[in-house]
Amino acid sequence: MQSKDLQSDIPREKEFLIPKESAVMNKKISFLSLLLLSLLSISLFFVYPYSTESSYRNSEPDDIQHAAISSEEKLPWPHQRPGISQDEYENLIENLWIINNYGLYQASEDKSLAYFHDGLDIVVENGTKLYSVESGYVKSGVTSGYIIIGDTEGDRPGNGWLYAHVNNIQFQEGDYIYQGDYIADVYFLGLSHVHLNRVFLENGSWNDIENINCVCPDKYFYYVDTQPPVIRTPFSYFQNNTDIFFEDINPTVVRGDVDIVVGMRDQGEFAHSKDFGFGDRLCVTRIEYEISGNNIQPVYKKSFDFTKIIINNLELYGRERVFTVFKHYKIFHPFGITGDKVFSYYIITNTDGTGEFGKIDLSAQDYAWNTAAVDASGNPRFPDGQYTITVKAWDFLGNCSMASDIVEVRNVKKGRIRR
């Protein structure tokens, strides 16, 4: 079910600086995530370099805006105090660092913990004052290290914001908060940051975190991103819904139902530390792919679109949904990860190809590239031979990369010649 993403009808009572276009470049957490992030903060901050990366611009889909966005329609960042000067604002945007974003794969090495990152982790020092990005009512969580501020009163359904990894909370459940009010301080043992979720409630109580769903928050904020995602080549090929690789030769030979798995990461000015470069490992926003060969019409598919995916990490089957989208990194790095950049491994064939989403459907694990498919006349749709797999990945602002790989389909067994 898609979020209605209701808009608040409460006006903004405090003024925030809106940057001039010439002056600045076009730029939930669930309770479970609170526990998991503490456990994984060390292991997930390791990174891995590759020389086989593809990262260049290409065309963008019609429904993704490019980087020329209007900053006047954006909300203030939670660490942006009201009334800052133009220079202070430019410095805030220049030093903005998002270490984890919406949809990012997070897991322990033994796979016992796995979840989608369901918001934005904004790196700021512990003790940093946070301000409400919109006006609303305090919903719950005021003693649990997080605070939810929603646009409806009481337990009525609606939209809101969840701020996690905080202490010194200034308000109580039921209080009305104006945009720009000081609400809490950042507090996290590890790489200090505030976790910000765009949340919505359709039924039940706001006090039950399992009722709260998250959606992609990127469209609400202004940031700089001129760099496209990075795609790792060659791709990997698995027997459908297993961790069994097809034989790793050049080119890889596949048969039957095939899962295509591609390592990707998003980079950008906001995605790494300005001091030492750590980061640039965010979740891409949208994936599409094409299968082409000499004897077929190209087959085009829409894969995952995280602007349309709804995340609830506490619901039943939440962990299984994660492994519908991602392969665990230990499959690719059995001896650990070193270096300075991390890839996530997307099972791009685990969708119906339409690009329409709500919550990830577990039945999508059965989707695959059916290399043995036949047409209405019984002829192979993918006759034995070589095929090119072309993958495109976009970030939220429309920067795009494309990479290709060659694979050989071999479904027909060669008969032995009798002498």
Side-chain angles (χ1 to χ4, degrees):
M1 184 179 295
Q2 297 289 344
S3 165
K4 299 175 183 178
D5 203 16
L6 306 171
Q7 294 299 312
S8 173
D9 58 0
I10 302 173
R12 301 176 185 176
E13 288 83 1
K14 296 199 175 185
E15 293 185 359
F16 287 85
L17 184 67
I18 301 300
K20 300 178 181 178
E21 297 296 339
S22 61
V24 182
M25 294 178 62
N26 278 333
K27 310 249 193 216
K28 152 175 150 265
I29 188 164
S30 66
F31 179 68
L32 177 61
S33 296
L34 288 169
L35 298 176
L36 298 180
L37 284 171
S38 298
L39 292 172
L40 303 176
S41 59
I42 297 177
S43 62
L44 293 178
F45 283 169
F46 287 107
V47 286
Y48 195 93
Y50 290 97
S51 59
T52 53
E53 297 179 355
S54 174
S55 177
Y56 57 91
R57 293 182 180 278
N58 202 287
S59 60
E60 63 189 77
D62 293 338
D63 56 347
I64 291 184
Q65 284 188 316
H66 201 264
I69 58 176
S70 172
S71 60
E72 295 182 357
E73 299 176 357
K74 303 302 174 180
L75 297 176
W77 289 96
H79 58 303
Q80 178 184 334
R81 63 175 175 80
I84 63 174
S85 69
Q86 181 70 38
D87 288 343
E88 289 174 315
Y89 182 84
E90 292 183 23
N91 184 67
L92 183 149
I93 296 299
E94 175 67 25
N95 290 285
L96 182 68
W97 179 16
I98 307 295
I99 187 59
N100 301 307
N101 69 333
Y102 188 81
L104 186 67
Y105 174 60
Q106 309 247 266
S108 60
E109 289 199 8
D110 64 359
K111 295 177 64 173
S112 61
L113 299 175
Y115 60 98
F116 296 105
H117 195 262
D118 50 15
L120 300 176
D121 279 354
I122 307 164
V123 181
V124 287
E125 294 182 0
N126 281 334
T128 298
K129 293 183 182 300
L130 299 175
Y131 306 90
S132 181
V133 301
E134 283 191 298
S135 300
Y137 298 87
V138 178
K139 295 297 184 180
S140 63
V142 294
T143 61
S144 302
Y146 68 93
I147 181 172
I148 301 174
I149 301 173
D151 58 10
T152 57
E153 192 171 4
D155 258 356
R156 293 167 52 196
N159 300 291
W161 296 96
L162 187 154
Y163 310 74
H165 305 325
V166 300
N167 65 6
N168 198 25
I169 296 174
Q170 302 293 300
F171 294 89
Q172 296 296 319
E173 184 174 341
D175 288 348
Y176 184 79
I177 297 177
Y178 292 95
Q179 183 188 47
D181 278 350
Y182 164 46
I183 57 174
D185 298 336
V186 175
Y187 179 73
F188 183 77
L189 297 178
L191 181 64
S192 58
H193 64 277
V194 58
H195 180 111
L196 182 69
N197 295 71
R198 179 60 174 174
V199 297
F200 74 94
L201 179 77
E202 288 190 318
N203 51 65
S205 172
W206 284 94
N207 287 291
D208 188 348
I209 199 74
E210 293 188 14
N211 295 326
I212 299 173
N213 298 293
C214 297
V215 293
C216 182
D218 292 51
K219 69 180 182 179
Y220 295 95
F221 300 100
Y222 180 85
Y223 57 91
V224 172
D225 185 6
T226 63
Q227 302 301 311
V230 179
I231 304 175
R232 183 191 181 202
T233 56
F235 306 154
S236 298
Y237 305 88
F238 292 77
Q239 296 178 26
N240 183 37
N241 207 5
T242 75
D243 288 341
I244 303 173
F245 284 97
F246 281 95
E247 188 177 0
D248 189 13
I249 57 179
N250 189 17
T252 298
V253 176
V254 300
R255 60 181 55 85
D257 291 344
V258 179
D259 282 336
I260 304 173
V261 178
V262 183
M264 289 179 271
R265 62 180 178 85
D266 190 27
Q267 57 183 349
E269 289 84 344
F270 73 104
H272 58 259
S273 165
K274 304 305 182 295
D275 296 326
F276 52 94
F278 180 83
D280 285 340
R281 49 81 172 282
L282 301 183
C283 181
V284 301
T285 296
R286 177 171 176 162
I287 306 165
E288 300 174 0
Y289 67 99
E290 182 182 87
I291 303 171
S292 59
N294 291 331
N295 301 312
I296 68 164
Q297 290 292 325
V299 175
Y300 165 79
K301 298 283 187 178
K302 294 181 179 180
S303 185
F304 298 107
D305 184 342
F306 289 91
T307 67
K308 299 178 181 179
I309 291 175
I310 298 170
I311 297 175
N312 183 323
N313 279 316
L314 288 184
E315 67 174 337
L316 189 64
Y317 305 124
R319 180 175 175 275
E320 286 80 2
R321 294 185 198 279
V322 174
F323 292 118
T324 302
V325 179
F326 297 102
K327 285 289 187 185
H328 190 53
Y329 61 86
K330 288 287 284 188
I331 297 173
F332 306 91
H333 313 294
F335 303 108
I337 299 176
T338 60
D340 71 343
K341 304 298 171 191
V342 164
F343 286 87
S344 296
Y345 294 90
Y346 301 77
I347 313 170
I348 66 171
T349 42
N350 273 3
T351 74
D352 64 2
T354 66
E356 297 300 322
F357 290 95
K359 292 180 181 178
I360 297 295
D361 189 342
L362 295 182
S363 66
Q365 295 178 3
D366 296 329
Y367 286 116
W369 174 24
N370 182 2
T371 67
V374 296
D375 62 20
S377 301
N379 299 312
R381 295 188 60 192
F382 302 97
D384 284 4
Q386 290 193 354
Y387 293 84
T388 300
I389 313 298
T390 301
V391 174
K392 290 183 178 181
W394 286 265
D395 62 26
F396 185 81
L397 292 185
N399 301 300
C400 178
S401 289
M402 180 176 69
S404 298
D405 193 29
I406 304 296
V407 67
E408 182 174 339
V409 170
R410 193 182 298 167
N411 283 304
V412 179
K413 295 182 179 179
K414 296 181 179 180
R416 296 179 62 183
I417 299 175
R418 295 183 178 181
R419 299 184 182 276

